[in-house]
Structures are given as C-alpha cells and as structure tokens.
Amino acid sequence: MIFFSGLNLDKYEGSQLSSLTLLDISEGMLNEAKRRVAGLENLQGVPVTIITADATKDLVDRFGNQSFDTVVDSFSLCVMGSEGAIQCLEQMSQIVKSTGQVLLLENSRSDNSLLGIYQDATAETAAMVGGKGCVYNQNVGALIRRTGCLAVQEERSYAAGLFRAYVCVRS
Ligand SMILES: C[S@@+](CC[C@H](N)C(=O)[O-])C[C@H]1O[C@@H](n2cnc3c(N)ncnc32)[C@H](O)[C@@H]1O
C-alpha cells in the first residue's frame, strides 16, 4: 500500500507487485494518481485500488491487521504534525505483515547544526506560507521510536539529512 499522488509510481517494478493500493486524504491528489496510473507501462496488468482515507486513523479499520507486505509513505508525515505522524506510523505498523516492511521517505531535520537551526527558525512560517503545511524539521527517527511498535532496520540520509529514507519493521 502507498499513500500519495503517485509522483514516483513509474519507479515500481510491476512484475514484483501482486496488487497496489494507493491512499490519500485528498481526492484531488488521488485523481492525479489515477490519471498517472492509466498511462504507466510498468503498472499495466497490476490490480490497482485507489482509496480516499485519513491515514492517521482509518487504516486498521479499513484494511485490518497485517494486510500488506509493504507500506510506503513519501513526504506525508511532515504535513500531519507530530501527533498525527505518530498516529499514522502506528496505523502503518498494524496493517503491515509481521514479515513485511514500512518504507518511509521523509523531510527531516538536518544533521548540519546551522541548517538544523535554520530549519527550526523557518519551519512553521514556511509551512504556512507556500509550504502547504509541510513542517520540514521533524525528527522522524524520534517519531518512529516514540511509537514503540516500529523498529528502524535501515536509515539513509540525503542532502545533509534534509531528507531521510527508513526501512522499518514491526517490533
Ligand atoms: C507533500 S504531499 C506528498 C505527496 C506524495 N506522497 C509524494 O510523495 O509526492 C503530502 C500528502 O499527504 C496527504 N495527507 C495529509 N494528511 C493526510 C492524512 N491524514 N491521511 C492521508 N493522507 C494525508 C496530502 O493530501 C498530500 O497528498
């Protein structure tokens, strides 16, 4: 299962997918995803389901426990606020199989102290003015640890930690 408008759907290896579920709270984003899926060669023949739902509270009710091999989120935790992000991570941890993985690609606070201070000083304003609600200085590793139900297997940092990718499993 993936949340999003589908910007990176062309990167998926269709032959590796038995099905694909796309989820976002915004119907507009999902309409974009729908248009994109229709034109993508790599997803021809893959059963795709598109669902409008709130990932901070609807996932377990909607899908049940341990229903996906892999759950992917890119750049959504930053718009949910810390508590929303934790709720979303908890929901993801429940719908992924015990043998599965939660894959995250997120905005995050930089390891570079000057950049981190700049992010802290500007994050709230940037989120309100043109940033579409994205608070880009989240400490995503700390949010994952606070859930108590996900463990980080692998973390990769990009651009001095402005972006991070996580491979997580249920703990
Ligand atoms: C910055 S965009 C990222 C879009 C996409 N994931 C990508 O990587 O291109 C954040 C997305 O999170 C979605 N979103 C925000 N809160 C959500 C929620 N509670 N449940 C599901 N999606 C949510 C927004 O509608 C938006 O599409």
Side-chain angles (χ1 to χ4, degrees):
M1 188 195 72
I2 314 182
F3 317 157
F4 67 69
S5 63
L7 271 185
N8 39 20
L9 278 175
D10 59 336
K11 305 291 183 289
Y12 286 80
E13 191 67 60
S15 62
Q16 305 287 313
L17 300 174
S18 56
S19 65
L20 187 62
T21 302
L22 306 179
L23 182 145
D24 198 284
I25 203 166
S26 153
E27 277 188 40
M29 291 296 260
L30 289 172
N31 285 337
E32 255 181 65
K34 211 177 283 180
R35 272 196 295 278
R36 236 174 114 57
V37 166
L40 285 174
E41 285 282 318
N42 60 317
L43 295 181
Q44 296 303 310
V46 177
V48 178
T49 308
I50 297 184
I51 291 176
T52 310
D54 184 341
T56 66
K57 60 183 179 63
D58 295 337
L59 303 184
V60 179
D61 288 346
R62 175 73 76 135
F63 301 111
N65 278 310
Q66 302 209 35
S67 39
F68 292 96
D69 296 309
T70 309
V71 179
V72 179
D73 175 53
S74 58
F75 300 112
S76 300
L77 296 181
C78 62
V79 299
M80 294 177 184
S82 296
E83 292 314 311
I86 289 172
Q87 288 162 5
C88 179
L89 289 164
E90 286 169 351
Q91 292 272 319
M92 289 193 275
S93 76
Q94 290 183 64
I95 62 167
V96 75
K97 292 180 183 172
S98 56
T99 51
Q101 293 179 322
V102 174
L103 308 179
L104 307 171
L105 178 60
E106 306 292 345
N107 289 299
S108 68
R109 191 179 189 280
S110 175
D111 296 323
N112 176 295
S113 53
L114 280 180
L115 259 181
I117 289 167
Y118 173 80
Q119 284 180 285
D120 292 344
T122 57
E124 293 293 336
T125 310
M128 283 187 295
V129 185
K132 299 184 177 171
C134 168
V135 179
Y136 53 40
N137 65 339
Q138 277 181 335
N139 182 337
V140 179
L143 295 175
I144 295 169
R145 282 191 295 280
R146 270 183 59 193
T147 67
C149 51
L150 281 175
V152 174
Q153 257 190 348
E154 190 183 328
E155 174 180 344
R156 286 191 193 181
S157 161
Y158 303 96
L162 291 175
F163 312 105
R164 289 176 211 264
Y166 296 88
V167 177
C168 305
V169 293
R170 289 168 72 120
S171 61

